[in-house]
């Protein structure tokens, strides 16, 4: 199975900050990389698919980049509603696998 | 906009079978979409369980392959998961989800907690 490793595991930031979360795959996955946001007690929500495509309805402050093994999720200006846990997921090779998550907390 | 809703017992005895149903609305279950189960536990995080197409074709996570069966009922607009010989390690929140063109999970049910305990 392809292992997905996110960094950092947790992050403290303030409203208005620019935040980046990294995700590394254990082997090449081209751009088959998706990002999700999850709030407590809720299902994950798709933010970015195919590494850099913004899901419909997701604010443009979210962006994704990267290819092969290294990927980044960027939030350009944090809003209060963005404090949550973020997951990356590879869809290149079955079984699809997820990162362990990055918890974004209020500083 | 597709909507998904999981249902099933919240408690399953060890060595028993976990059975869940996902009801699909707002989209045809016969559309060009794979329908998946994903589970989440504190121990293993998010884990893909398996997927099914409206033709009945399935793909399962190899880690569960000998215990899992998925089926689809197009007339009822639902698909189901059966996981046999469960242990405490199968305790998790189980989500059903639809997949988009890049195998991303674009719509999710609210999730249902299944606890394996005697």
């Amino acid at each position: 199975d392809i292992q997905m490793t996110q960094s950092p595991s947790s992050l403290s930031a303030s409203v208005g900050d620019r935040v980046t979360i990294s995700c590394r795959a254990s082997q090449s996955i081209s751009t088959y990389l998706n990002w999700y946001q999850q709030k407590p007690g809720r299902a994950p929500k798709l933010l970015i698919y195919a590494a850099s495509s913004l899901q419909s309805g997701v604010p443009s402050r979210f962006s994704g980049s990267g290819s092969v093994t290294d990927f980044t999720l960027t939030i350009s200006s944090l809003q209060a509603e963005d404090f949550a846990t973020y997951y990356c997921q590879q869809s290149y090779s079955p079984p699809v696998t997820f990162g362990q998550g990055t918890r974004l907390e209020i500083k | 906009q597709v909507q998904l809703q999981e249902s099933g017992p919240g408690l399953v005895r060890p060595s028993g079978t976990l059975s869940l149903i996902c009801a699909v609305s707002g989209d045809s279950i016969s559309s060009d979409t794979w329908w998946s189960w994903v589970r989440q536990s504190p121990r293993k995080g998010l884990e893909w369980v398996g997927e099914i197409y409206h033709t009945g074709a399935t793909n399962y996570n190899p880690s569960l392959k000998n215990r899992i069966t998925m089926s689809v009922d197009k007339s009822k607009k639902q698909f189901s998961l059966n996981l046999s010989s469960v242990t405490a390690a199968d305790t998790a929140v189980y989500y059903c989800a639809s997949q988009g063109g890049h195998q991303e999970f674009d719509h999710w049910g609210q999730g249902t907690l299944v606890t394996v305990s005697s």
Side-chain angles (χ1 to χ4, degrees), chain A residues 20-56:
Chain A
T20 60
I21 297 170
S22 296
C23 178
R24 174 165 289 179
S26 60
Q27 64 187 72
S28 174
I29 59 170
S30 183
T31 57
Y32 286 84
L33 190 283
N34 310 305
W35 288 99
Y36 302 85
Q37 175 194 68
Q38 187 178 33
K39 296 182 179 179
R42 304 290 296 273
K45 172 188 174 183
L46 178 66
L47 299 175
I48 303 285
Y49 63 94
S52 60
S53 295
L54 192 67
Q55 174 70 351
S56 176

Coordinates of all heavy atoms in Angstrom, one line a residue, chain A residues 20-56:
Chain A
T20 N 0.3 26.5 5.4 CA 0.6 25.4 4.4 C 0.7 24.1 5.2 O 1.3 24.0 6.3 CB 1.9 25.6 3.6 OG1 3.0 25.7 4.5 CG2 1.8 26.9 2.8
I21 N 0.1 23.0 4.6 CA 0.2 21.7 5.1 C 0.8 20.8 4.0 O 0.4 20.9 2.8 CB -1.2 21.2 5.5 CG1 -1.8 22.0 6.6 CG2 -1.2 19.7 5.9 CD1 -3.3 21.8 6.9
S22 N 1.7 19.9 4.4 CA 2.4 19.1 3.4 C 2.0 17.7 3.5 O 1.5 17.2 4.6 CB 3.9 19.2 3.7 OG 4.4 20.5 3.5
C23 N 2.1 17.0 2.4 CA 1.7 15.6 2.3 C 2.7 14.9 1.4 O 3.0 15.4 0.3 CB 0.3 15.4 1.7 SG -0.3 13.7 1.5
R24 N 3.3 13.8 1.8 CA 4.3 13.1 1.0 C 3.8 11.7 0.8 O 3.4 11.0 1.8 CB 5.6 13.1 1.7 CG 6.7 12.3 1.0 CD 8.1 12.7 1.5 NE 8.5 14.0 1.0 CZ 9.7 14.6 1.3 NH1 10.5 13.9 2.1 NH2 10.0 15.7 0.8
A25 N 3.9 11.2 -0.4 CA 3.6 9.8 -0.8 C 4.8 8.9 -0.8 O 5.9 9.4 -1.1 CB 2.9 9.8 -2.1
S26 N 4.7 7.7 -0.4 CA 5.8 6.8 -0.4 C 6.3 6.3 -1.7 O 7.4 5.7 -1.9 CB 5.5 5.5 0.5 OG 4.4 4.8 -0.1
Q27 N 5.5 6.6 -2.8 CA 6.0 6.4 -4.1 C 5.2 7.4 -5.0 O 4.3 8.0 -4.6 CB 5.7 4.9 -4.6 CG 4.2 4.6 -4.6 CD 4.1 3.1 -4.9 OE1 4.3 2.2 -4.0 NE2 3.6 2.8 -6.1
S28 N 5.6 7.4 -6.3 CA 5.0 8.4 -7.2 C 3.5 8.1 -7.4 O 3.0 7.0 -7.6 CB 5.6 8.3 -8.6 OG 4.9 9.1 -9.5
I29 N 2.7 9.2 -7.2 CA 1.2 9.1 -7.4 C 0.8 10.1 -8.5 O -0.4 10.5 -8.5 CB 0.5 9.3 -6.1 CG1 0.8 10.6 -5.5 CG2 0.8 8.1 -5.2 CD1 -0.2 11.0 -4.3
S30 N 1.7 10.6 -9.3 CA 1.4 11.6 -10.3 C 0.7 12.8 -9.6 O 1.2 13.4 -8.7 CB 0.5 11.0 -11.4 OG 0.2 11.9 -12.4
T31 N -0.6 13.1 -10.0 CA -1.3 14.2 -9.4 C -2.6 13.6 -8.8 O -3.6 14.3 -8.6 CB -1.7 15.3 -10.3 OG1 -2.3 14.8 -11.4 CG2 -0.4 16.1 -10.7
Y32 N -2.6 12.3 -8.5 CA -3.8 11.6 -7.9 C -3.8 11.9 -6.4 O -3.7 10.9 -5.6 CB -3.8 10.2 -8.2 CG -4.2 9.9 -9.7 CD1 -3.2 9.9 -10.7 CD2 -5.5 9.5 -10.0 CE1 -3.5 9.7 -12.0 CE2 -5.8 9.3 -11.4 CZ -4.8 9.4 -12.3 OH -5.1 9.1 -13.6
L33 N -4.0 13.1 -6.0 CA -4.0 13.5 -4.6 C -5.2 14.4 -4.3 O -5.4 15.4 -5.0 CB -2.6 14.2 -4.3 CG -2.2 14.5 -2.9 CD1 -3.0 15.7 -2.3 CD2 -2.4 13.3 -2.0
N34 N -5.9 14.1 -3.2 CA -7.1 14.8 -2.8 C -6.9 15.3 -1.4 O -6.2 14.7 -0.6 CB -8.3 13.9 -2.9 CG -8.3 13.2 -4.3 OD1 -8.3 13.9 -5.4 ND2 -8.4 11.9 -4.3
W35 N -7.6 16.4 -1.1 CA -7.5 17.0 0.3 C -8.9 17.2 0.8 O -9.9 17.5 0.1 CB -6.9 18.4 0.2 CG -5.4 18.5 0.0 CD1 -4.8 18.7 -1.2 CD2 -4.4 18.3 0.9 NE1 -3.4 18.7 -1.1 CE2 -3.1 18.4 0.3 CE3 -4.3 18.0 2.3 CZ2 -1.9 18.3 0.9 CZ3 -3.1 17.9 2.9 CH2 -1.9 18.1 2.2
Y36 N -9.0 16.9 2.1 CA -10.3 16.9 2.8 C -10.2 17.7 4.1 O -9.1 17.8 4.7 CB -10.8 15.5 3.2 CG -11.0 14.6 2.0 CD1 -9.9 13.9 1.5 CD2 -12.2 14.5 1.4 CE1 -10.1 13.1 0.4 CE2 -12.4 13.6 0.3 CZ -11.3 12.9 -0.2 OH -11.4 12.1 -1.3
Q37 N -11.3 18.3 4.5 CA -11.4 19.0 5.8 C -12.4 18.3 6.6 O -13.5 17.9 6.1 CB -11.9 20.5 5.5 CG -12.2 21.3 6.8 CD -12.9 22.5 6.5 OE1 -14.1 22.5 6.1 NE2 -12.3 23.7 6.6
Q38 N -12.1 18.1 7.9 CA -13.1 17.4 8.8 C -13.2 18.2 10.1 O -12.2 18.5 10.7 CB -12.7 16.0 9.1 CG -13.7 15.2 9.8 CD -13.4 13.8 10.1 OE1 -12.2 13.4 10.3 NE2 -14.4 12.9 10.1
K39 N -14.4 18.5 10.4 CA -14.7 19.1 11.7 C -15.3 18.1 12.7 O -15.8 17.1 12.2 CB -15.7 20.3 11.5 CG -15.1 21.4 10.7 CD -16.0 22.6 10.5 CE -15.3 23.6 9.6 NZ -16.2 24.8 9.4
P40 N -15.1 18.3 14.0 CA -15.5 17.3 15.0 C -17.0 16.8 14.8 O -17.9 17.7 14.6 CB -15.3 18.0 16.3 CG -14.2 19.0 16.0 CD -14.5 19.4 14.6
G41 N -17.2 15.5 14.7 CA -18.5 15.0 14.6 C -19.1 15.0 13.2 O -20.3 14.7 13.0
R42 N -18.3 15.4 12.3 CA -18.8 15.6 10.9 C -18.0 14.7 9.9 O -16.9 14.3 10.2 CB -18.7 17.0 10.4 CG -19.4 18.1 11.3 CD -20.9 18.0 11.2 NE -21.4 18.3 9.9 CZ -21.6 19.5 9.4 NH1 -21.5 20.5 10.2 NH2 -22.1 19.7 8.2
A43 N -18.6 14.4 8.8 CA -17.9 13.7 7.8 C -16.8 14.6 7.1 O -16.9 15.8 7.1 CB -18.9 13.2 6.7
P44 N -15.8 13.9 6.6 CA -14.8 14.7 5.8 C -15.5 15.4 4.6 O -16.5 14.9 4.1 CB -13.8 13.7 5.3 CG -13.9 12.6 6.3 CD -15.4 12.5 6.7
K45 N -14.9 16.6 4.2 CA -15.5 17.4 3.1 C -14.4 17.5 2.1 O -13.2 18.0 2.4 CB -15.9 18.7 3.6 CG -16.3 19.7 2.5 CD -16.6 21.1 3.1 CE -16.9 22.1 2.0 NZ -17.1 23.5 2.6
L46 N -14.7 17.2 0.8 CA -13.7 17.4 -0.2 C -13.4 18.8 -0.5 O -14.3 19.6 -0.7 CB -14.2 16.7 -1.5 CG -13.3 16.8 -2.7 CD1 -12.0 16.0 -2.5 CD2 -14.0 16.2 -4.0
L47 N -12.1 19.2 -0.5 CA -11.6 20.6 -0.8 C -11.0 20.6 -2.2 O -11.3 21.5 -3.0 CB -10.6 21.0 0.2 CG -11.1 21.1 1.7 CD1 -9.9 21.5 2.5 CD2 -12.2 22.1 1.9
I48 N -10.0 19.8 -2.4 CA -9.2 19.8 -3.6 C -9.1 18.4 -4.1 O -8.9 17.4 -3.4 CB -7.7 20.3 -3.2 CG1 -7.7 21.6 -2.6 CG2 -6.8 20.2 -4.5 CD1 -8.0 22.8 -3.5
Y49 N -9.2 18.2 -5.5 CA -9.0 16.9 -6.1 C -8.0 17.1 -7.2 O -7.7 18.2 -7.7 CB -10.3 16.3 -6.6 CG -11.0 17.1 -7.7 CD1 -10.8 16.8 -9.1 CD2 -11.8 18.2 -7.4 CE1 -11.4 17.6 -10.1 CE2 -12.4 18.9 -8.4 CZ -12.2 18.6 -9.7 OH -12.8 19.4 -10.7
A50 N -7.4 16.0 -7.6 CA -6.3 16.0 -8.6 C -5.3 17.0 -8.3 O -4.8 17.7 -9.2 CB -6.9 16.2 -10.0
A51 N -4.9 17.1 -7.1 CA -3.8 17.9 -6.6 C -4.0 19.4 -6.5 O -3.6 20.1 -5.6 CB -2.5 17.6 -7.3
S52 N -4.8 19.9 -7.5 CA -4.9 21.4 -7.6 C -6.2 21.9 -8.0 O -6.4 23.1 -8.2 CB -3.8 21.9 -8.5 OG -4.0 21.4 -9.8
S53 N -7.2 21.0 -8.2 CA -8.5 21.4 -8.7 C -9.4 21.7 -7.5 O -9.6 20.8 -6.6 CB -9.1 20.4 -9.6 OG -8.4 20.2 -10.8
L54 N -10.0 22.9 -7.5 CA -10.9 23.3 -6.4 C -12.3 22.7 -6.5 O -12.9 22.9 -7.6 CB -10.9 24.8 -6.3 CG -11.5 25.5 -5.1 CD1 -10.7 25.2 -3.8 CD2 -11.7 27.0 -5.3
Q55 N -12.7 22.0 -5.5 CA -14.1 21.4 -5.6 C -15.1 22.5 -5.6 O -14.9 23.6 -5.0 CB -14.3 20.5 -4.4 CG -15.7 20.0 -4.2 CD -16.1 18.9 -5.2 OE1 -15.4 18.7 -6.2 NE2 -17.2 18.3 -5.0
S56 N -16.2 22.3 -6.3 CA -17.2 23.3 -6.4 C -17.7 23.8 -5.1 O -18.0 22.9 -4.2 CB -18.4 22.8 -7.2 OG -19.5 23.7 -7.3

